[in-house]
Amino acid sequence: MPRKPKRKAPASPAARGTSPEPYPSHASPSPAQCLAVRDALLGFHGFPEEFAPFRRLRLGGRSPEDCSSDSPPPPSPTVLDGIVTTLLSQNTTEAISRRAFASLKAAFPSWDQVVDEEGTRLEDAIRCGGLAATKAARIRAMLRGVRERRGKICLEYLRELSVDEVKRELSQFKGIGPKTVACVLMFYLQKDDFPVDTHVHRITKAMGWVPVTASREKAYIHLNNKIPDDLKFDLNCLIVTHGKLCQTCAKKMGGEKSKVPNAACPLASYYCVGEKLQQ
């Protein structure tokens, strides 16, 4: 009598559309660690003004300090505006990338004009942001791909999709990498995601939240699996800000100048010294 085929076990949550955990035996960070670091950085820096508009969007237009406000929420940038802004922000400051975006919009009132233009006007418009040729090529390729796939240059339908669905959609377009997708998810779609930039990568390695050999891609997967959704936004903004402002951390993680963080740094007690995690 032929055997009945074995029934497959149901897929685990990690197997349904998300990447498998790269470090299953690495326990950090725990929810308690995430909360403690968020509170330490928030107490030290306050919430960064640079990211405050995005925080208000997540809270329906109200600041955390005034949840009773009846004022209308600020207008939300379009998804495409967010993607282009994120592409322009690579290898430059927030202020400069905003200036490049404003220059682009002034030169091209519609995205179709960006795709159809065959000269160097796009490069010229964003030159103040640096890497103009590279960024122009990525922006134009992305916009052309959107128009070819969707029939028009609009991505507002992404707001109705899940995180994994957004990742699958955006991965189809040339010029949009994983970090850009993560930033768009967190800032412009108000989704619970945790991008890993240079500051986040270095600081989370220094705290022992990811192995010291972790690539940015694997760190992204591990941290998104471990950090509670309700802490991801604040924690990410605060770590990025701390990485920009704390010279002690920059020295510690940039070379051999400082082996032990200064006690004034709010993360001093969380950093790994040698092989031990100071908690």
Side-chain angles (χ1 to χ4, degrees):
M1 186 174 178
R3 292 183 186 178
K4 290 183 179 180
K6 288 184 178 180
R7 182 180 292 177
K8 289 184 179 180
S12 66
R16 298 189 193 116
T18 56
S19 302
E21 167 59 55
Y23 307 113
S25 61
H26 195 88
S28 294
S30 67
Q33 287 173 318
C34 295
L35 180 62
V37 169
R38 193 281 305 269
D39 289 348
L41 290 175
L42 190 61
F44 189 78
H45 293 290
F47 191 79
E49 192 60 34
E50 173 186 352
F51 301 116
F54 298 106
R55 199 186 199 200
R56 285 194 290 272
L57 283 173
R58 297 176 75 87
L59 295 171
R62 296 170 179 153
S63 70
E65 294 76 22
D66 185 18
C67 288
S68 62
S69 172
D70 293 326
S71 59
S76 177
T78 69
V79 177
L80 268 172
D81 282 2
I83 292 174
V84 173
T85 299
T86 304
L87 290 173
L88 289 172
S89 70
Q90 294 167 4
N91 299 103
T92 191
T93 66
E94 181 73 15
I96 291 175
S97 65
R98 281 200 302 266
R99 197 180 338 156
F101 181 76
S103 176
L104 186 160
K105 296 291 275 187
F108 297 93
S110 77
W111 294 124
D112 284 292
Q113 289 175 310
V114 174
V115 175
D116 295 335
E117 193 265 332
E118 296 180 355
T120 61
R121 283 180 57 221
L122 177 57
E123 284 184 42
D124 294 339
I126 64 173
R127 198 169 302 283
C128 63
L131 301 176
T134 300
K135 293 178 181 179
R138 288 176 180 172
I139 290 168
R140 187 172 279 124
M142 181 272 297
L143 294 173
R144 184 178 291 116
V146 172
R147 189 165 70 178
E148 288 173 356
R149 290 178 180 274
R150 302 292 302 176
K152 61 179 180 178
I153 306 180
C154 179
L155 290 177
E156 291 307 293
Y157 73 97
L158 295 179
R159 297 187 186 279
E160 308 304 319
L161 304 185
S162 68
V163 168
D164 288 330
E165 288 170 335
V166 171
K167 288 179 180 179
R168 282 195 294 272
E169 286 288 302
L170 291 182
S171 67
Q172 302 176 75
F173 302 117
K174 289 183 179 180
I176 302 181
K179 183 192 166 191
T180 298
V181 173
C183 289
V184 170
L185 281 164
M186 187 175 79
F187 290 118
Y188 298 99
L189 292 172
Q190 290 81 53
K191 304 286 188 184
D192 295 317
D193 208 59
F194 194 82
V196 176
D197 74 344
T198 300
H199 301 295
V200 171
H201 193 212
R202 290 177 178 175
I203 288 177
T204 54
K205 283 199 292 186
M207 292 192 296
W209 285 14
V210 295
V212 292
T213 57
S215 66
R216 191 180 294 185
E217 292 73 21
K218 289 184 177 180
Y220 170 77
I221 296 168
H222 178 75
L223 293 169
N224 271 285
N225 286 342
K226 290 291 186 179
I227 297 172
D229 283 348
D230 62 340
L231 293 176
K232 284 178 179 175
F233 179 79
D234 281 9
L235 189 56
N236 193 277
C237 295
L238 287 160
I239 290 177
V240 168
T241 298
H242 188 71
K244 292 176 180 178
L245 297 179
C246 184
Q247 294 304 311
T248 300
C249 293
K251 289 180 181 178
K252 179 186 187 316
M253 293 176 284
E256 300 295 319
K257 294 181 181 179
S258 176
K259 291 292 185 183
V260 181
N262 190 305
C265 170
L267 298 184
S269 62
Y270 296 93
Y271 280 134
C272 295
V273 180
E275 299 264 332
K276 297 179 182 178
L277 180 64
Q278 302 299 305
Q279 290 268 348

